[in-house]
Amino acid sequence: MTYDVHIIGGGLAGSEAAWQLARRGISVRLSEMRGSGEMTPAHQTDGLAELVCSNSFRSDDDENNAVGLLHHEMRQMDSLVMRAGEVARVPAGSAMAVDRDVFSAEVQKTLIEHPKVDIVRERVDQLPGAGLTIVATGPLTAQSLAENIVTATGEERLAFFDAIAPIVHRDSIDMDIAWIQSRWNKRTEASNEEGDYINCPMTQEQYLAFHRGLIEGDKTEFKDWEKDTPYFDGCMPIEVMAARGVDTLRFGPMKPVGLDNPNDVTEEFPQGRWPYAVVQLRQDNKLGTLWNMVGFQTKLKYGAQVELFRTIPGLEKAEFARLGGLHRNTFLNSPSVLDRQLRLKSAPHVRFAGQVTGCEGYVESAAVGLIAGMMASSELTGRDWSPPPASTAIGALLSHITGDAAADTFQPMNVNFGLFPPLHEVKKKQRKQAYTSRAKSDLRAWLAASETVAA
Ligand SMILES: Cc1cc2nc3c(=O)[nH]c(=O)nc-3n(C[C@H](O)[C@H](O)[C@H](O)COP(=O)(O)OP(=O)(O)OC[C@H]3O[C@@H](n4cnc5c(N)ncnc54)[C@H](O)[C@@H]3O)c2cc1C
């Protein structure tokens, strides 16, 4: 069968992209390596859109939760993943959970029965040299293709681990304790006027207790299949560094020199004394709503992270947009290598979708597949296409991965309200509902304008 678009990878993103193209009358070759004798280390079956771990699509609350809002938006855009999710739904309170076998079977049946979709069980080892392509091979992209992607993008642009430092919502940091300053007040052209880091000061006593907490805290273990993947010194978990010596962190990421604490002023130090140790946060998105804890990638369990990091002065009430982690995960440095339409800048016939773009989660991966399908469809039919506004969940996620995130600290991201243009004028308690109601109305307007209303 000849085809208009070649999709590589039949997971959440690839299946959704195939559906979005097929329902617009565009023919697709969907190459999936499982079923050809190949397997990833996490998948168990040959089924399309297999959920590799939990069976939950997380919150379905579209008024107070960003992922619930994303569900809503995907339903408006006739998402196959959301449709199949409804068929496979099992009770889970306000969350949306599914029977994974029923879900995968429903996605697969829909695509097999669609005359515009040709599912081919094959492993693809090279990016096609021509023809519209969507690569949706996920966090466990087969090695041969990953190597070819490295050749196309450059070695620094494809990561094999996400070494995630926790990311904190700016408005949950206590700025009566923390302060903004760059070390030695150094500036670059891109610097903010006040300085580029939020600094949280620690006394010796607080530092020693914190150091003990890192060493003694509950950690997650690498899975067997993750142990062999090399990771670099730059990804070293903070607790591993802490175990090298009590002062290692004070000479590393928690170094206090050149940072004058304005809340600790003496006659001798009228500009403020240097603390004993410091935790620094650096801006993580253009909006300035998210800040990441520099050097704090960790394998501490989530509960232990929240408990320990809230002992840091200034972060007592921290709300985390995401917690730290270290996992096997193949993903691109999308803000630097992809354009705003998910196309590889060096080979624009190739688009990427799903977790390999640096979004994270079943729903987010499917959403990026959905939007990649829409983009490819517009490109083929020669229609102008503008992305959904950043005030929608799908638009916020897309903006983040295609340029709004800081490229040098880019790590996979779930959808969350910190990605949305802020509504500072709305009281904090009412903000979530304000975000969701603005998003719904903006999505409606965008859908009407782009004539992509659900069939
Ligand atoms: C171990 C693990 C657990 C996870 N748990 C969760 C969770 O509980 N909840 C959650 O929301 N998210 C979870 N994720 C994150 C993520 O959302 C899922 O991995 C999600 O499946 C990503 O969707 P995707 O379509 O991008 O990739 P996938 O669903 O992995 O699909 C990629 C597909 O591409 C195929 N493929 C790979 N290379 C090739 C090739 N060269 N040629 C042809 N086919 C190829 C693979 O076989 C696979 O079917 C987890 C990830 C991992 C690795």
Side-chain angles (χ1 to χ4, degrees), residues 300-332:
L300 282 176
K301 289 192 171 158
Y302 283 175
Q305 287 186 45
V306 173
E307 197 179 321
L308 184 63
F309 296 156
R310 285 192 179 149
T311 66
I312 297 170
L315 300 188
E316 293 85 349
K317 296 198 174 133
E319 284 165 28
F320 295 92
R322 69 165 305 158
L323 287 159
L326 206 64
H327 308 273
R328 164 93 187 268
N329 186 2
T330 308
F331 67 98
L332 285 168

Side-chain angles (χ1 to χ4, degrees), residues 8-14 31-34 40 42-43 50 52-54 56 58 122-125 136-142 145 223 225 328 353-356 360-363 365:
I8 308 171
L12 276 298
S31 300
E32 168 51 56
M33 71 176 185
R34 289 177 294 114
T40 79
H43 288 82
E50 177 185 334
V52 287
C53 188
S54 123
S56 171
R58 316 197 318 271
E122 61 181 356
R123 193 185 75 202
V124 176
D125 292 334
T137 44
L140 304 168
T141 296
L145 183 63
K223 306 230 168 50
W225 49 270
R328 164 93 187 268
Q355 187 139 330
V356 75
E360 172 135 350
Y362 299 146
V363 184
S365 297

Side-chain angles (χ1 to χ4, degrees), residues 212-403:
R212 224 175 13 258
L214 283 174
I215 305 273
E216 291 170 3
D218 255 0
K219 325 269 184 329
T220 47
E221 297 297 325
F222 276 128
K223 306 230 168 50
D224 278 347
W225 49 270
E226 290 176 311
K227 285 179 181 154
D228 296 337
T229 308
Y231 72 92
F232 307 104
D233 253 17
C235 306
M236 187 183 293
I238 185 124
E239 60 276 7
V240 174
M241 227 182 290
R244 291 185 169 178
V246 71
D247 279 327
T248 306
L249 293 176
R250 286 212 319 127
F251 291 99
M254 297 180 75
K255 188 165 60 178
V257 296
L259 293 168
D260 316 312
N261 183 355
N263 302 316
D264 186 13
V265 170
T266 62
E267 244 175 62
E268 195 186 348
F269 298 102
Q271 78 287 8
R273 290 197 309 168
W274 298 349
Y276 186 78
V278 80
V279 173
Q280 290 199 297
L281 295 100
R282 184 172 49 213
Q283 188 171 330
D284 203 69
N285 63 344
K286 287 205 170 117
L287 297 171
T289 50
L290 301 176
W291 288 65
N292 89 69
M293 296 172 65
V294 181
F296 273 63
Q297 54 277 359
T298 177
K299 283 190 74 65
L300 282 176
K301 289 192 171 158
Y302 283 175
Q305 287 186 45
V306 173
E307 197 179 321
L308 184 63
F309 296 156
R310 285 192 179 149
T311 66
I312 297 170
L315 300 188
E316 293 85 349
K317 296 198 174 133
E319 284 165 28
F320 295 92
R322 69 165 305 158
L323 287 159
L326 206 64
H327 308 273
R328 164 93 187 268
N329 186 2
T330 308
F331 67 98
L332 285 168
N333 190 290
S334 297
S336 61
V337 298
L338 300 186
D339 70 9
R340 290 285 184 182
Q341 283 216 28
L342 298 167
R343 289 174 295 218
L344 202 54
K345 289 176 188 165
S346 58
H349 64 287
V350 179
R351 228 178 216 102
F352 282 80
Q355 187 139 330
V356 75
T357 64
C359 65
E360 172 135 350
Y362 299 146
V363 184
E364 288 87 339
S365 297
V368 177
L370 184 156
I371 215 78
M374 287 173 97
M375 288 167 172
S377 150
S378 300
E379 195 168 325
L380 263 177
T381 50
R383 273 193 303 126
D384 276 348
W385 192 82
S386 56
S391 52
T392 62
I394 199 159
L397 190 61
L398 183 67
S399 299
H400 185 76
I401 58 183
T402 59

